[in-house]
């Protein structure tokens, strides 16, 4: 069994609580986040939507929903015809308080579905390792409460959330992109950055998007170097966040089974 398969299925043994993972393209898998969720005791049920794999009609049988990033826009249904089903699953997760984590495109989908707004950045993409600002509400947050001020995050996005949904709680910000993380309801989190990505993943993105990055005034080599330099801290900070979200998922499983 490959390392990827192990991360998705977990070791052989009792059936673990499952997280439905929506993957939009080949080079945007669950990565570091997935590794930590498996370590926490969860099973990843990855749907490779771009390959034509079908998403379920609802979240029955899943204890959490993880929506990953991708290069399509959150309303680009022509290029990604599975997006309406993703939006329906996000609505269900929020309404039923199923733990939800949206990453980059996934976070933008969360914002859009709940009445926020997503736009293409007129000032060009945000790329590389970028420090984040901790906001006051993060202090009491069960997932992002341990993120230190100034923690770096891997960025790779041309679109961004420019307006939060009503009732959303902002948790992390940035100088160039103000809405880096927010919570919706008691169990939904949306991130603009990529906690799952290390330097190897960003290097593949930089190779694929080299011409576009340079056309927008960026330096792909410098971008990858910034992530490589920050990678030890990225793994520490966002590994802990991934495990904290996994704990929320497991707590929900315990609450629904009466704690047994």
């Amino acid at each position: 069994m490959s390392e990827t398969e192990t991360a998705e299925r977990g070791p052989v043994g009792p059936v673990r609580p499952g997280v439905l993972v929506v993957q939009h393209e080949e080079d945007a898998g669950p990565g570091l986040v997935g590794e930590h969720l498996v370590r926490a005791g969860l099973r990843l049920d990855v749907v490779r939507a771009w390959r034509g794999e079908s998403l379920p009609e609802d979240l029955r049988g899943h204890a959490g929903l993880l929506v990953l990033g991708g290069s399509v826009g959150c309303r680009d249904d022509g290029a990604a015809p599975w997006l309406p089903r993703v939006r329906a699953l996000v609505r269900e997760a929020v309404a039923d308080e199923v733990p939800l984590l949206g990453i980059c495109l996934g976070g933008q989908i969360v914002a859009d579905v709940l009445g926020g707004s997503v736009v293409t950045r007129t000032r060009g993409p945000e790329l590389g390792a970028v420090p984040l600002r901790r906001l006051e509400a993060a202090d009491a947050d069960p997932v992002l409460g341990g993120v230190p001020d100034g923690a770096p995050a891997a960025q790779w996005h041309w679109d961004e959330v420019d307006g939060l949904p009503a009732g959303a709680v902002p948790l992390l910000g940035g100088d160039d992109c103000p809405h880096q993380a927010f919570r919706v309801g008691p169990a939904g989190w949306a991130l603009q950055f990529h906690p799952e990505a290390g330097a190897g993943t960003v290097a593949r993105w930089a190779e694929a998007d080299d011409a576009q990055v340079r056309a927008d005034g960026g330096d792909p080599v410098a971008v990858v170097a910034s992530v490589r330099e920050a990678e030890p801290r990225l793994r520490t900070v966002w590994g802990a966040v991934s495990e904290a979200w996994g704990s929320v998922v497991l707590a929900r499983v315990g609450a629904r089974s009466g704690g047994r």
Side-chain angles (χ1 to χ4, degrees):
M1 181 180 291
S2 72
E3 183 177 345
T4 300
E5 289 172 330
T6 301
E8 291 174 6
R9 300 177 190 175
V12 175
V15 176
R16 296 172 160 213
V19 172
L20 177 63
V21 182
V22 181
Q23 183 173 343
H24 300 281
E25 55 193 46
E26 181 74 46
D27 284 332
L32 302 176
V33 171
E35 292 174 13
H36 283 276
L37 294 180
V38 169
R39 287 180 199 169
L42 293 164
R43 182 186 79 251
L44 305 186
D45 296 336
V46 181
V47 175
R48 298 166 182 82
W50 84 96
R51 290 185 183 173
E53 295 179 2
S54 297
L55 288 161
E57 290 297 313
D58 54 46
L59 292 172
R60 283 181 295 182
H62 288 100
L65 173 63
L66 171 59
V67 184
L68 299 172
S71 57
V72 298
C74 65
R75 287 281 176 176
D76 197 358
D77 297 1
W82 58 88
L83 287 176
R85 170 53 40 200
V86 178
R87 291 195 287 270
L89 291 170
V90 167
R91 291 189 190 96
E92 179 186 351
V94 174
D96 292 349
E97 299 182 6
V98 176
L100 164 68
L101 181 62
I103 291 174
C104 199
L105 169 60
Q108 293 165 6
I109 291 171
V110 174
D112 175 71
V113 159
L114 300 178
S117 58
V118 178
V119 298
T120 298
R121 291 165 51 92
T122 58
R123 57 199 179 280
E126 185 177 43
L127 307 171
V130 175
L132 303 184
R133 286 187 285 103
R134 181 185 172 91
L135 304 179
E136 183 177 356
D139 291 347
D141 189 78
V143 171
L144 296 170
V147 176
D149 191 54
Q155 307 279 0
W156 199 270
H157 62 103
W158 274 255
D159 292 351
E160 68 179 4
V161 176
D162 76 331
L164 295 181
V169 178
L171 301 169
L172 299 174
D175 292 338
D176 186 49
C177 178
H179 303 304
Q180 291 284 355
F182 61 92
R183 188 178 67 245
V184 290
W189 286 266
L191 312 178
Q192 180 56 80
F193 52 93
H194 286 277
E196 85 287 8
T201 297
V202 173
R204 291 191 293 274
W205 295 345
E207 181 178 7
D209 293 341
D210 182 271
Q212 186 62 59
V213 172
R214 294 181 187 278
D216 289 328
D219 179 350
V221 175
V223 166
V224 175
S226 73
V227 177
R228 184 169 290 113
E229 181 179 359
E231 185 154 10
R233 198 169 181 208
L234 294 173
R235 286 181 174 272
T236 298
V237 171
W238 305 117
V241 165
S242 301
E243 291 179 12
W245 186 76
S247 294
V248 171
V249 176
L250 290 169
R252 174 184 182 271
V253 172
R256 296 219 167 179
S257 63
R260 293 188 299 274

